[in-house]
Protein backbone atom coordinates (compact mmCIF):
# COMPACT_ATOMS: atom_id res chain seq x y z
CA UNK A 1 0.00 0.00 0.00
CA UNK A 2 1.24 3.52 -0.73
CA UNK A 3 2.47 5.52 2.23
CA UNK A 4 0.15 8.41 1.51
CA UNK A 5 -3.26 6.98 0.70
CA UNK A 6 -5.21 3.88 1.62
CA UNK A 7 -7.28 2.05 -1.00
CA UNK A 8 -10.52 3.39 0.50
CA UNK A 9 -9.16 6.99 0.40
CA UNK A 10 -8.38 6.45 -3.28
CA UNK A 11 -11.85 5.02 -3.94
CA UNK A 12 -13.42 8.03 -2.18
CA UNK A 13 -11.28 10.43 -4.20
CA UNK A 14 -12.33 8.72 -7.45
CA UNK A 15 -15.99 8.93 -6.40
CA UNK A 16 -15.55 12.62 -5.56
CA UNK A 17 -14.11 13.34 -9.01
CA UNK A 18 -16.93 11.48 -10.77
CA UNK A 19 -19.59 13.13 -8.55
CA UNK A 20 -18.15 16.55 -9.33
CA UNK A 21 -18.10 15.94 -13.07
CA UNK A 22 -21.63 14.50 -12.99
CA UNK A 23 -23.04 17.19 -10.72
CA UNK A 24 -24.30 14.41 -8.52
CA UNK A 25 -26.83 15.25 -5.77
CA UNK A 26 -25.06 15.51 -2.45
CA UNK A 27 -27.40 12.98 -0.77
CA UNK A 28 -26.57 10.30 -3.30
CA UNK A 29 -22.86 11.10 -3.08
CA UNK A 30 -23.03 10.70 0.72
CA UNK A 31 -24.89 7.42 0.34
CA UNK A 32 -22.30 6.03 -2.10
CA UNK A 33 -19.33 6.96 0.09
CA UNK A 34 -20.16 4.39 2.74
CA UNK A 35 -21.06 0.71 2.26
CA UNK A 36 -24.61 -0.34 3.01
CA UNK A 37 -23.41 -3.10 5.31
CA UNK A 38 -20.06 -4.38 6.64
CA UNK A 39 -19.73 -7.53 8.67
CA UNK A 40 -16.55 -8.28 10.60
CA UNK A 41 -16.00 -11.85 11.69
CA UNK A 42 -13.44 -13.58 13.87
CA UNK A 43 -12.85 -17.01 12.32
CA UNK A 44 -11.42 -19.60 14.69
CA UNK A 45 -10.34 -22.97 13.38
CA UNK A 46 -8.37 -25.99 14.51
CA UNK A 47 -4.90 -25.83 12.91
CA UNK A 48 -3.15 -29.04 11.83
CA UNK A 49 -0.94 -28.93 14.94
CA UNK A 50 -4.01 -29.00 17.19
CA UNK A 51 -3.83 -25.35 18.18
CA UNK A 52 -6.48 -22.67 17.60
CA UNK A 53 -5.98 -20.47 14.55
CA UNK A 54 -7.72 -17.10 14.81
CA UNK A 55 -8.29 -15.03 11.65
CA UNK A 56 -10.02 -11.71 11.01
CA UNK A 57 -12.38 -11.61 8.09
CA UNK A 58 -15.11 -9.43 6.71
CA UNK A 59 -17.75 -9.11 4.02
CA UNK A 60 -18.52 -5.60 2.83
CA UNK A 61 -21.67 -4.89 0.82
CA UNK A 62 -21.41 -1.51 -0.84
CA UNK A 63 -24.56 -0.94 -2.89
CA UNK A 64 -27.32 -3.16 -4.31
CA UNK A 65 -29.55 -0.68 -6.15
CA UNK A 66 -28.99 -2.45 -9.50
CA UNK A 67 -29.22 -6.03 -8.22
CA UNK A 68 -27.80 -8.47 -5.64
CA UNK A 69 -24.38 -7.73 -4.18
CA UNK A 70 -21.54 -9.41 -6.06
CA UNK A 71 -17.84 -9.70 -5.55
CA UNK A 72 -14.89 -11.90 -4.72
CA UNK A 73 -13.28 -13.07 -1.51
CA UNK A 74 -9.53 -12.63 -1.04
CA UNK A 75 -7.11 -14.36 1.29
CA UNK A 76 -4.00 -12.30 1.89
CA UNK A 77 -1.84 -11.20 4.84
CA UNK A 78 -2.57 -7.55 3.97
CA UNK A 79 -6.37 -7.83 3.89
CA UNK A 80 -8.09 -5.23 6.06
CA UNK A 81 -11.49 -3.55 6.24
CA UNK A 82 -10.25 -0.40 4.49
CA UNK A 83 -9.01 -2.34 1.46
CA UNK A 84 -12.08 -4.59 1.26
CA UNK A 85 -14.37 -1.54 1.47
CA UNK A 86 -12.57 0.07 -1.47
CA UNK A 87 -12.77 -3.16 -3.44
CA UNK A 88 -16.52 -3.44 -2.72
CA UNK A 89 -17.06 0.07 -4.09
CA UNK A 90 -15.04 -0.74 -7.21
CA UNK A 91 -17.27 -3.80 -7.71
CA UNK A 92 -20.35 -1.54 -7.70
CA UNK A 93 -18.92 0.64 -10.48
CA UNK A 94 -17.57 -2.38 -12.37
CA UNK A 95 -20.95 -4.16 -12.52
CA UNK A 96 -22.60 -0.91 -13.63
CA UNK A 97 -19.97 -0.14 -16.32
CA UNK A 98 -20.19 -3.62 -17.82
CA UNK A 99 -23.95 -3.38 -17.34
CA UNK A 100 -24.85 -6.53 -15.46
CA UNK A 101 -27.67 -6.52 -12.86
CA UNK A 102 -25.54 -6.64 -9.72
CA UNK A 103 -24.36 -4.38 -6.94
CA UNK A 104 -20.89 -4.44 -5.42
CA UNK A 105 -19.43 -6.36 -2.49
CA UNK A 106 -16.13 -7.88 -1.43
CA UNK A 107 -14.90 -10.19 1.29
CA UNK A 108 -11.56 -11.03 2.72
CA UNK A 109 -9.67 -12.93 5.36
CA UNK A 110 -6.35 -11.72 6.73
CA UNK A 111 -4.20 -14.85 6.51
CA UNK A 112 -1.19 -16.24 4.71
CA UNK A 113 -2.64 -18.96 2.46
CA UNK A 114 0.87 -19.95 1.29
CA UNK A 115 1.66 -21.15 4.81
CA UNK A 116 -1.62 -23.02 5.36
CA UNK A 117 -2.46 -26.61 4.51
CA UNK A 118 -5.40 -27.52 2.29
CA UNK A 119 -7.26 -28.81 5.35
CA UNK A 120 -6.72 -25.54 7.23
CA UNK A 121 -7.88 -23.52 4.23
CA UNK A 122 -10.99 -25.68 3.91
CA UNK A 123 -11.87 -25.32 7.60
CA UNK A 124 -11.29 -21.57 7.48
CA UNK A 125 -13.42 -21.18 4.33
CA UNK A 126 -16.28 -23.23 5.76
CA UNK A 127 -16.24 -21.42 9.12
CA UNK A 128 -16.16 -18.03 7.34
CA UNK A 129 -19.07 -19.07 5.10
CA UNK A 130 -21.12 -20.11 8.12
CA UNK A 131 -20.39 -16.75 9.76
CA UNK A 132 -21.49 -14.65 6.76
CA UNK A 133 -24.29 -17.09 5.88
CA UNK A 134 -27.08 -14.72 6.96
CA UNK A 135 -26.05 -11.95 4.58
CA UNK A 136 -25.13 -13.97 1.48
CA UNK A 137 -27.29 -16.05 -0.87
CA UNK A 138 -28.25 -16.27 -4.55
CA UNK A 139 -30.59 -13.26 -4.43
CA UNK A 140 -28.67 -11.39 -1.74
CA UNK A 141 -24.93 -11.51 -2.22
CA UNK A 142 -22.99 -13.90 -4.44
CA UNK A 143 -19.27 -14.41 -3.63
CA UNK A 144 -16.57 -15.41 -6.17
CA UNK A 145 -12.79 -15.93 -6.30
CA UNK A 146 -10.27 -13.13 -5.87
CA UNK A 147 -6.60 -13.01 -4.82
CA UNK A 148 -5.48 -16.47 -3.52
CA UNK A 149 -8.93 -18.05 -3.63
CA UNK A 150 -9.94 -20.38 -6.46
CA UNK A 151 -12.57 -22.79 -7.78
CA UNK A 152 -11.90 -25.20 -4.91
CA UNK A 153 -12.54 -22.44 -2.37
CA UNK A 154 -15.85 -21.73 -4.11
CA UNK A 155 -16.77 -25.42 -3.98
CA UNK A 156 -16.32 -25.38 -0.18
CA UNK A 157 -18.49 -22.26 0.03
CA UNK A 158 -21.21 -23.88 -2.08
CA UNK A 159 -21.12 -27.05 -0.01
CA UNK A 160 -21.21 -25.23 3.34
CA UNK A 161 -24.06 -22.99 2.21
CA UNK A 162 -25.98 -25.96 0.79
CA UNK A 163 -25.43 -28.11 3.89
CA UNK A 164 -26.83 -25.37 6.13
CA UNK A 165 -29.81 -24.86 3.80
CA UNK A 166 -30.41 -28.57 3.50
CA UNK A 167 -30.43 -28.66 -0.30
CA UNK A 168 -28.00 -27.90 -3.12
CA UNK A 169 -27.69 -24.20 -4.02
CA UNK A 170 -25.09 -23.88 -6.81
CA UNK A 171 -26.25 -20.31 -7.57
CA UNK A 172 -25.03 -19.06 -4.16
CA UNK A 173 -21.45 -18.62 -5.43
CA UNK A 174 -19.65 -18.30 -8.79
CA UNK A 175 -16.25 -19.35 -10.06
CA UNK A 176 -17.00 -22.95 -9.08
CA UNK A 177 -15.42 -26.02 -10.69
CA UNK A 178 -17.31 -27.02 -13.86
CA UNK A 179 -18.26 -30.38 -12.32
CA UNK A 180 -20.56 -28.67 -9.79
CA UNK A 181 -22.10 -25.95 -11.95
CA UNK A 182 -19.18 -23.69 -12.81
CA UNK A 183 -19.21 -21.98 -16.19
CA UNK A 184 -17.03 -22.77 -19.13
CA UNK A 185 -14.51 -19.97 -19.56
CA UNK A 186 -14.83 -18.52 -16.03
CA UNK A 187 -11.22 -19.27 -15.05
CA UNK A 188 -9.81 -17.27 -18.00
CA UNK A 189 -12.62 -14.68 -18.19
CA UNK A 190 -10.90 -11.81 -16.35
CA UNK A 191 -7.78 -12.17 -18.48
CA UNK A 192 -9.72 -12.54 -21.71
CA UNK A 193 -11.54 -9.29 -20.88
CA UNK A 194 -8.25 -7.54 -20.07
CA UNK A 195 -6.78 -8.67 -23.40
CA UNK A 196 -9.94 -7.68 -25.31
CA UNK A 197 -9.55 -4.20 -23.78
CA UNK A 198 -5.86 -4.07 -24.75
CA UNK A 199 -6.80 -5.09 -28.29
CA UNK A 200 -9.56 -2.46 -28.52
CA UNK A 201 -7.19 0.14 -27.05
CA UNK A 202 -4.62 -0.75 -29.71
CA UNK A 203 -7.26 -0.18 -32.40
CA UNK A 204 -8.17 3.16 -30.82
CA UNK A 205 -4.59 4.47 -30.72
CA UNK A 206 -3.60 2.95 -34.07
CA UNK A 207 -1.16 0.35 -32.74
CA UNK A 208 -0.78 -2.98 -34.50
CA UNK A 209 -1.93 -5.52 -31.89
CA UNK A 210 -0.48 -8.59 -33.55
CA UNK A 211 3.22 -8.52 -32.76
CA UNK A 212 2.82 -5.87 -30.05
CA UNK A 213 5.19 -6.29 -27.10
CA UNK A 214 3.54 -7.00 -23.75
CA UNK A 215 4.75 -6.92 -20.12
CA UNK A 216 2.66 -8.51 -17.39
CA UNK A 217 3.07 -7.77 -13.68
CA UNK A 218 1.71 -10.65 -11.59
CA UNK A 219 1.58 -14.31 -12.62
CA UNK A 220 -1.44 -15.49 -10.64
CA UNK A 221 -4.67 -16.53 -12.33
CA UNK A 222 -5.19 -13.16 -14.04
CA UNK A 223 -1.59 -12.43 -15.04
CA UNK A 224 -0.75 -15.89 -16.33
CA UNK A 225 -3.93 -16.22 -18.39
CA UNK A 226 -3.55 -12.67 -19.74
CA UNK A 227 0.00 -13.52 -20.88
CA UNK A 228 -1.16 -16.82 -22.39
CA UNK A 229 -4.09 -15.33 -24.33
CA UNK A 230 -2.04 -12.37 -25.59
CA UNK A 231 0.64 -14.84 -26.73
CA UNK A 232 -2.00 -16.98 -28.48
CA UNK A 233 -3.23 -13.83 -30.23
CA UNK A 234 0.24 -13.14 -31.62
CA UNK A 235 1.63 -10.62 -29.12
CA UNK A 236 5.22 -10.89 -27.95
CA UNK A 237 5.46 -11.33 -24.17
CA UNK A 238 8.73 -9.64 -23.20
CA UNK A 239 8.46 -9.55 -19.40
CA UNK A 240 6.49 -11.17 -16.59
CA UNK A 241 6.83 -11.11 -12.83
CA UNK A 242 5.41 -12.60 -9.65
CA UNK A 243 5.84 -11.72 -5.98
CA UNK A 244 9.39 -13.12 -6.03
CA UNK A 245 10.69 -11.04 -8.98
CA UNK A 246 10.56 -10.70 -12.74
CA UNK A 247 12.11 -11.92 -15.98
CA UNK A 248 12.81 -10.12 -19.25
CA UNK A 249 13.64 -11.30 -22.73
CA UNK A 250 13.51 -8.83 -25.61
CA UNK A 251 13.07 -11.73 -28.05
CA UNK A 252 9.92 -12.85 -26.28
CA UNK A 253 8.91 -15.56 -23.79
CA UNK A 254 6.63 -18.53 -24.09
CA UNK A 255 4.21 -18.06 -21.15
CA UNK A 256 3.21 -21.75 -21.20
CA UNK A 257 6.83 -22.73 -20.51
CA UNK A 258 7.21 -19.99 -17.89
CA UNK A 259 4.09 -21.35 -16.19
CA UNK A 260 5.56 -24.88 -16.10
CA UNK A 261 8.76 -23.41 -14.65
CA UNK A 262 6.73 -21.61 -11.96
CA UNK A 263 4.84 -24.79 -11.08
CA UNK A 264 8.15 -26.65 -10.73
CA UNK A 265 10.16 -24.01 -8.87
CA UNK A 266 7.53 -21.82 -7.25
CA UNK A 267 8.66 -18.70 -9.11
CA UNK A 268 9.04 -17.26 -12.62
CA UNK A 269 12.58 -16.16 -11.76
CA UNK A 270 15.52 -18.10 -13.28
CA UNK A 271 13.52 -19.17 -16.33
CA UNK A 272 16.11 -20.00 -18.97
CA UNK A 273 17.45 -17.36 -21.32
CA UNK A 274 16.03 -14.42 -19.40
CA UNK A 275 17.42 -11.48 -17.58
CA UNK A 276 16.27 -11.32 -13.96
CA UNK A 277 14.58 -8.03 -13.14
CA UNK A 278 12.62 -6.67 -10.18
CA UNK A 279 8.87 -6.32 -9.97
CA UNK A 280 9.37 -2.58 -10.29
CA UNK A 281 11.45 -2.99 -13.45
CA UNK A 282 8.66 -4.99 -15.11
CA UNK A 283 6.57 -1.84 -15.04
CA UNK A 284 9.36 0.15 -16.68
CA UNK A 285 9.99 -2.44 -19.40
CA UNK A 286 10.19 -1.22 -22.98
CA UNK A 287 6.89 -2.53 -24.35
CA UNK A 288 3.72 -1.48 -26.15
CA UNK A 289 1.21 -2.88 -23.67
CA UNK A 290 1.54 -3.16 -19.90
CA UNK A 291 -0.83 -5.39 -17.92
CA UNK A 292 -0.62 -4.82 -14.16
CA UNK A 293 -2.20 -7.95 -12.71
CA UNK A 294 -0.89 -8.00 -9.15
CA UNK A 295 -2.18 -5.94 -6.21
CA UNK A 296 -3.26 -2.36 -5.51
CA UNK A 297 -0.95 0.64 -5.66
CA UNK A 298 1.74 -0.82 -7.95
CA UNK A 299 1.89 2.21 -10.24
CA UNK A 300 2.61 5.23 -8.06
CA UNK A 301 3.86 8.76 -8.63
CA UNK A 302 7.37 7.44 -7.95
CA UNK A 303 7.42 5.00 -10.87
CA UNK A 304 4.69 6.25 -13.26
CA UNK A 305 7.13 8.42 -15.16
CA UNK A 306 9.33 5.41 -15.94
CA UNK A 307 6.54 3.57 -17.75
CA UNK A 308 7.25 3.22 -21.46
CA UNK A 309 4.11 1.37 -22.55
CA UNK A 310 1.64 3.11 -24.84
CA UNK A 311 -1.30 1.16 -23.42
CA UNK A 312 -2.09 -0.06 -19.91
CA UNK A 313 -4.90 -2.54 -19.38
CA UNK A 314 -5.51 -3.00 -15.65
CA UNK A 315 -6.04 -6.67 -14.85
CA UNK A 316 -5.71 -5.98 -11.10
CA UNK A 317 -8.06 -3.90 -8.99
CA UNK A 318 -6.70 -0.47 -8.09
CA UNK A 319 -3.12 -0.90 -9.40
CA UNK A 320 -2.70 2.82 -10.15
CA UNK A 321 -2.84 5.66 -7.61
CA UNK A 322 -4.61 8.94 -8.54
CA UNK A 323 -1.25 10.80 -8.62
CA UNK A 324 0.16 8.19 -10.98
CA UNK A 325 -2.99 8.55 -13.10
CA UNK A 326 -2.14 12.23 -13.63
CA UNK A 327 1.42 11.45 -14.67
CA UNK A 328 0.26 8.77 -17.13
CA UNK A 329 -2.38 11.09 -18.55
CA UNK A 330 0.23 13.80 -19.16
CA UNK A 331 2.50 11.25 -20.83
CA UNK A 332 -0.36 10.33 -23.17
CA UNK A 333 -0.57 6.67 -22.07
CA UNK A 334 -3.89 5.11 -23.05
CA UNK A 335 -5.08 3.53 -19.80
CA UNK A 336 -8.00 1.10 -19.67
CA UNK A 337 -9.13 1.32 -16.02
CA UNK A 338 -9.66 -1.67 -13.77
CA UNK A 339 -13.45 -1.33 -13.52
CA UNK A 340 -13.56 -1.91 -17.27
CA UNK A 341 -10.39 -3.90 -18.01
CA UNK A 342 -10.97 -6.64 -15.41
CA UNK A 343 -14.76 -6.78 -15.66
CA UNK A 344 -14.62 -10.00 -17.70
CA UNK A 345 -14.44 -12.08 -14.52
CA UNK A 346 -17.60 -10.80 -12.94
CA UNK A 347 -19.34 -10.87 -16.32
CA UNK A 348 -18.77 -14.59 -16.71
CA UNK A 349 -19.69 -14.96 -13.02
CA UNK A 350 -23.01 -13.44 -14.01
CA UNK A 351 -23.34 -15.92 -16.89
CA UNK A 352 -22.55 -18.74 -14.43
CA UNK A 353 -25.30 -17.52 -12.07
CA UNK A 354 -27.80 -17.29 -14.95
CA UNK A 355 -26.90 -20.82 -16.07
CA UNK A 356 -27.30 -22.11 -12.48
CA UNK A 357 -30.68 -20.41 -12.05
CA UNK A 358 -31.82 -21.89 -15.37
CA UNK A 359 -30.22 -25.29 -14.59
CA UNK A 360 -28.39 -24.96 -17.90
CA UNK A 361 -24.79 -25.25 -19.14
CA UNK A 362 -23.60 -23.17 -22.08
CA UNK A 363 -20.74 -24.19 -24.37
CA UNK A 364 -17.48 -22.20 -24.18
CA UNK A 365 -18.14 -20.55 -27.55
CA UNK A 366 -21.45 -19.18 -26.27
CA UNK A 367 -19.86 -17.79 -23.08
CA UNK A 368 -16.96 -16.17 -24.94
CA UNK A 369 -19.20 -14.77 -27.67
CA UNK A 370 -21.35 -13.04 -25.05
CA UNK A 371 -18.29 -11.84 -23.13
CA UNK A 372 -16.72 -10.41 -26.28
CA UNK A 373 -19.94 -8.47 -27.10
CA UNK A 374 -20.28 -7.15 -23.53
CA UNK A 375 -16.64 -6.04 -23.26
CA UNK A 376 -16.61 -4.38 -26.68
CA UNK A 377 -19.86 -2.50 -25.90
CA UNK A 378 -18.60 -1.29 -22.49
CA UNK A 379 -15.27 -0.25 -24.02
CA UNK A 380 -17.12 1.77 -26.65
CA UNK A 381 -19.39 3.37 -24.02
CA UNK A 382 -16.36 4.47 -21.98
CA UNK A 383 -14.45 5.81 -25.01
CA UNK A 384 -17.56 7.75 -26.08
CA UNK A 385 -17.94 9.27 -22.59
CA UNK A 386 -14.22 10.13 -22.45
CA UNK A 387 -14.44 11.91 -25.81
CA UNK A 388 -17.68 13.71 -24.96
CA UNK A 389 -16.48 14.91 -21.57
CA UNK A 390 -12.85 15.34 -22.66
CA UNK A 391 -11.61 13.31 -19.73
CA UNK A 392 -9.48 10.24 -19.03
CA UNK A 393 -10.76 6.71 -19.57
CA UNK A 394 -10.64 6.24 -15.77
CA UNK A 395 -12.89 9.21 -15.07
CA UNK A 396 -15.18 8.29 -17.96
CA UNK A 397 -15.65 4.75 -16.63
CA UNK A 398 -16.28 6.05 -13.11
CA UNK A 399 -18.80 8.56 -14.44
CA UNK A 400 -20.61 5.90 -16.41
CA UNK A 401 -20.73 3.54 -13.42
CA UNK A 402 -21.68 6.14 -10.83
CA UNK A 403 -24.37 7.61 -13.12
CA UNK A 404 -26.00 4.23 -13.69
CA UNK A 405 -26.01 3.45 -9.96
CA UNK A 406 -27.34 6.93 -9.08
CA UNK A 407 -30.13 6.53 -11.66
CA UNK A 408 -31.12 3.21 -10.07
CA UNK A 409 -31.14 4.74 -6.57
CA UNK A 410 -33.34 7.60 -7.76
CA UNK A 411 -35.71 5.30 -9.62
CA UNK A 412 -36.12 3.00 -6.61
CA UNK A 413 -36.79 5.91 -4.28
CA UNK A 414 -36.55 5.63 -0.52
CA UNK A 415 -38.43 3.37 1.81
CA UNK A 416 -40.21 4.30 4.06
N1 LIG B 1 -12.85 -10.92 -7.85
C1 LIG B 1 -13.23 -10.61 -9.19
C2 LIG B 1 -13.26 -9.10 -9.40
O1 LIG B 1 -12.63 -8.36 -8.70
C3 LIG B 1 -14.49 -11.33 -9.64
C4 LIG B 1 -15.73 -10.99 -8.89
C5 LIG B 1 -16.93 -11.87 -9.24
O2 LIG B 1 -16.83 -12.67 -10.15
O3 LIG B 1 -17.94 -11.71 -8.57
O4 LIG B 1 -13.87 -8.61 -10.32
Amino acid sequence: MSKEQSAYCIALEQLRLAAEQLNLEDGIHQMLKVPKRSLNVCITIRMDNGEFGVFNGCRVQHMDARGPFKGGIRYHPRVNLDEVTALSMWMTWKCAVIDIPYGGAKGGICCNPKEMSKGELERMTRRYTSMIFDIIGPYRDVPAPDVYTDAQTMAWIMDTYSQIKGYSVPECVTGKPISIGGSEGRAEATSLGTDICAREAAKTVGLKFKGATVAVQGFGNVGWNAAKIAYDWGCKIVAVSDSTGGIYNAKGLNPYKVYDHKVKTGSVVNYKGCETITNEEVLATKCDILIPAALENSITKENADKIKAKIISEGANGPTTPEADKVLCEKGVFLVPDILANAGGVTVSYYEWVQNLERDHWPLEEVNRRLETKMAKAFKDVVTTAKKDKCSMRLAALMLGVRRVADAIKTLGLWP
Side-chain angles (χ1 to χ4, degrees), residues 70-72 91 94 106 142 144-146 174 186 317 342 345-346 349:
K70 186 85 189 79
M91 283 309 299
K94 193 186 298 183
K106 202 80 172 200
V142 186
D146 197 80
T174 61
R186 175 61 185 85
N317 288 309
N342 68 39
V346 73
S349 273

Side-chain angles (χ1 to χ4, degrees), residues 59 71-75 107-108 128 132 143-147 149 154 157:
R59 181 75 182 169
I73 293 172
R74 67 169 55 178
Y75 293 170
Y128 171 70
I132 62 165
D146 197 80
V147 174
T149 55
M154 301 305 118
I157 294 177

Side-chain angles (χ1 to χ4, degrees), residues 198 201-202 205 207 212-217 236 238-239 248 280-292 299 303-314 320 324 327-336:
V205 303
L207 175 93
T213 49
V214 178
V216 184
Q217 186 200 37
K236 195 201 242 186
V238 289
Y248 174 78
E280 192 85 1
E281 283 166 339
V282 171
L283 299 172
T285 304
K286 192 171 172 301
C287 63
D288 298 314
I289 299 168
L290 172 65
I291 300 182
I299 306 178
N303 61 25
D305 201 38
K306 299 190 192 107
I307 287 176
K308 299 179 190 72
K310 299 174 191 76
I311 291 167
I312 299 178
S313 189
E314 294 184 332
T320 311
V327 178
L328 296 172
C329 217
E330 277 156 24
K331 277 166 71 90
V333 178
F334 190 96
L335 185 145
V336 191

Side-chain angles (χ1 to χ4, degrees), residues 31-86:
M31 196 176 168
L32 291 172
K33 275 159 93 173
V34 185
K36 189 167 172 183
R37 187 181 291 116
S38 307
L39 178 63
N40 275 305
V41 290
C42 173
I43 309 144
T44 309
I45 61 157
R46 180 85 56 200
M47 303 302 279
D48 290 347
N49 64 6
E51 284 174 13
F52 277 23
V54 182
F55 303 93
N56 293 320
C58 62
R59 181 75 182 169
V60 179
Q61 300 176 329
H62 177 250
M63 172 50 66
D64 62 348
R66 287 173 44 92
F69 296 107
K70 186 85 189 79
I73 293 172
R74 67 169 55 178
Y75 293 170
H76 194 273
R78 266 177 26 191
V79 160
N80 59 60
L81 189 61
D82 177 287
E83 179 196 45
V84 178
T85 306

